[in-house]
Amino acid sequence: KSFSNLHINKRRIDEVKRFLSVTLAIANAHTVEFYTHDVWKRFIAVTPQEVLAAVSSGSDHEGEPEHKEKEHSKTTFGFCIHSNRLVDIHVLLVAAKAQSLPGLGVCVSRDELLQSLRGNKLEPDEFMNSKKSHEVQCMSKAVACLAQHCGVKQVIDVGSGKGYLSSFLSLQYGLQVFGIDSSSTNTHGAQERNRKLKKFSRAYQKRSKAARTQAEAQSSPQTETVERKRGPNRIRDALAGSGSQQDAGASVDAPAAETHSALDPESGEHFLSALSADVIQPPSPRVPPSQLSAEERERRKRENLEKKARSRGEGADGVFSPLTSYVTSETELRDLITELEEAVMVGLHTCGDLAASTLRMFVAKPELSAVCGVGCCYHLLSEEFNPDGQEEPLQTACGFPLSQYLRDQSCFCGRNARMSACLVSAMTQRNMESLFYRAVLHVILRDHYSSYKSEKRVGNVYSKANSFVDYVRRALRRLELDDSKLCDSDIQSYHDTYEARMDEMHAFNMLKVTLAPCIEGLILLDRLCYLKEQEGVSFSALVQLFDPLLSPRCYAVVGLKSHSTKLKS
């Protein structure tokens, strides 16, 4: 069965690779060079209006059967086999839909995963609904079931950020959670936030218990209702002003895990209601140890030891104790967590290579019984096989490809394609105008300046400019070029000339959005294949944990080890 699953996974990878071998050039086309390289004519033989109409209407029919048979020998996925240009947008849309993860039928739902882990019928009221903090709710349920299935009490949250998932797993499910993040500046805010949440949870439990007792005695639920209404506001107060607004690294060194939830369901709902989307910030850049000064490394080590000591001194009160560390596949977890036993490793939207590192650690470390990771920021992945040699890997173990199957084929995506994999919808008018300005600027640089291929970047000039002319002059000064050689009318003439071709750029972006799920699918299938290649991994799957409309990066890579390979006590 294991061999069969691996074989099926490889077949799906081959299908996606074949599709991308024809279409990946579109995803790798650089928007900056859209007009200087005449990208539209180079790749597309239909009009922008045809593309926009087909994509926006969701039209993915392939035409009449006779048409399909007639064109079959002349096109591949809608591209002419002679010119390599797109001639049938409808065929492309059908193929892209078929080569996405839902179309391939390789994913299982969260409900199916939980049912398999529990081995019994799941009741509808066991699932958390979709509202605020959708990701924390869904992932914590899955992680808690993995821990229960493996019979472990510890969880390692890699790239824990502000510590929301860590805090909820510890408070709601009674798990001992170690959150590890690379930002030492932000761990202090996470620690303070969790301290206030812990304080709230105790006070709330005490009040709720008293309220229930009084309600039962008086046959009136009014007191408890008042407390329920006060809950969310008290948690928001706890979160407000609790430290840095940046993403915080966090480690939860919880007390001995309990067999029951540390919070009742209502307090859990109140806890999650405070984690609104507007307080979740993008992850801060990870700083490799090699770039840290000796003083900073020593300070981090001393700080972590002091926090561990405080945690032991607090005993049962020690719920949250941040750890700061840059984690790679070579990281020795026992050097960071001396009290580590068997654990589940998790990562909620781990950036770039960190997602691949968590899977490598899971395979290599006997103390890790299961893994559940949702990756993001595919453009930050390092690639092992680059035909141009332009991207130098940051470390020996690259983020793509991960599986031996794709490594044997020297599989390569390209940074622009990986950037495209992060696209979820068409850009706003303002974003499109920004890209249009930059592409036309590139034409001006080509026509009037010899350094248009310079490595210097324009930066965020668009947000400060009040017109195209102002944008160009600001950009030229940023690039340290003489803007006096062009008059305003000359600059404006470029805008007016290319404005009629803005639809080309809009339609091309829509094609990139169409291909995005297929590129993401290849990256995730590679990670799944890697787990299936490992003898010690007894179960592995791609699981759609989140609602893609609420959280576009919705797929988790889940793995369980064979009982024979688990660390013996």
Side-chain angles (χ1 to χ4, degrees), residues 183-185 188 293-307 324:
S183 174
S184 61
T185 302
H188 297 88
S293 65
E295 292 78 6
E296 174 64 12
R297 288 196 295 269
E298 182 62 29
R299 189 189 67 77
R300 288 189 178 193
K301 182 177 180 180
R302 185 173 61 253
E303 184 182 73
N304 287 336
L305 290 174
E306 289 173 354
K307 286 169 183 173
T324 304

Side-chain angles (χ1 to χ4, degrees), residues 365-380:
K365 314 291 184 186
E367 60 267 29
L368 298 178
S369 300
V371 66
C372 179
V374 180
C376 68
C377 303
Y378 302 127
H379 61 291
L380 297 179

Side-chain angles (χ1 to χ4, degrees), residues 8 13 43 99 126 145 168 198 259 261 272 283 293 338 347 370-371 394 411 421 456 472 494 508 540 552:
I8 292 172
I13 289 177
F43 292 110
Q99 302 307 319
E126 289 188 68
C145 285
F168 192 67
K198 178 182 67 175
T259 57
S261 171
L272 287 162
S293 65
T338 56
V371 66
L394 298 176
C411 187
K456 294 180 181 177
V472 171
Y494 276 92
F508 202 79
S540 56

Side-chain angles (χ1 to χ4, degrees), residues 516-527:
C518 307
I519 302 169
E520 179 183 33
L522 179 64
I523 294 171
L524 295 180
L525 285 170
D526 170 56
R527 294 173 182 176

Side-chain angles (χ1 to χ4, degrees), residues 182-218:
S182 63
S183 174
S184 61
T185 302
N186 301 325
T187 53
H188 297 88
Q191 182 181 30
E192 179 66 9
R193 184 179 301 107
N194 191 79
R195 183 187 67 80
K196 292 181 178 180
L197 288 171
K198 178 182 67 175
K199 183 177 180 181
F200 162 80
S201 69
R202 289 178 185 149
Y204 184 86
Q205 290 178 70
K206 185 176 180 180
R207 286 192 299 271
S208 295
K209 183 177 180 180
R212 283 193 296 269
T213 302
Q214 183 177 356
E216 291 171 1
Q218 298 179 358

Side-chain angles (χ1 to χ4, degrees), residues 410-463:
S410 301
C411 187
F412 174 74
C413 277
R415 188 178 189 278
N416 288 336
R418 288 183 277 109
M419 182 76 80
S420 298
C422 301
L423 296 174
V424 294
S425 62
M427 292 187 176
T428 64
Q429 181 61 35
R430 183 171 174 80
N431 288 338
M432 281 304 306
E433 186 179 66
S434 173
L435 293 176
F436 171 72
Y437 277 16
R438 184 63 184 87
V440 178
L441 171 66
H442 209 61
V443 178
I444 294 175
L445 293 174
R446 179 197 65 185
D447 292 351
H448 298 278
Y449 299 90
S450 60
S451 58
Y452 82 100
K453 292 185 178 180
S454 169
E455 294 299 320
K456 294 180 181 177
R457 296 183 179 275
V458 173
N460 188 23
V461 173
Y462 175 80
S463 63

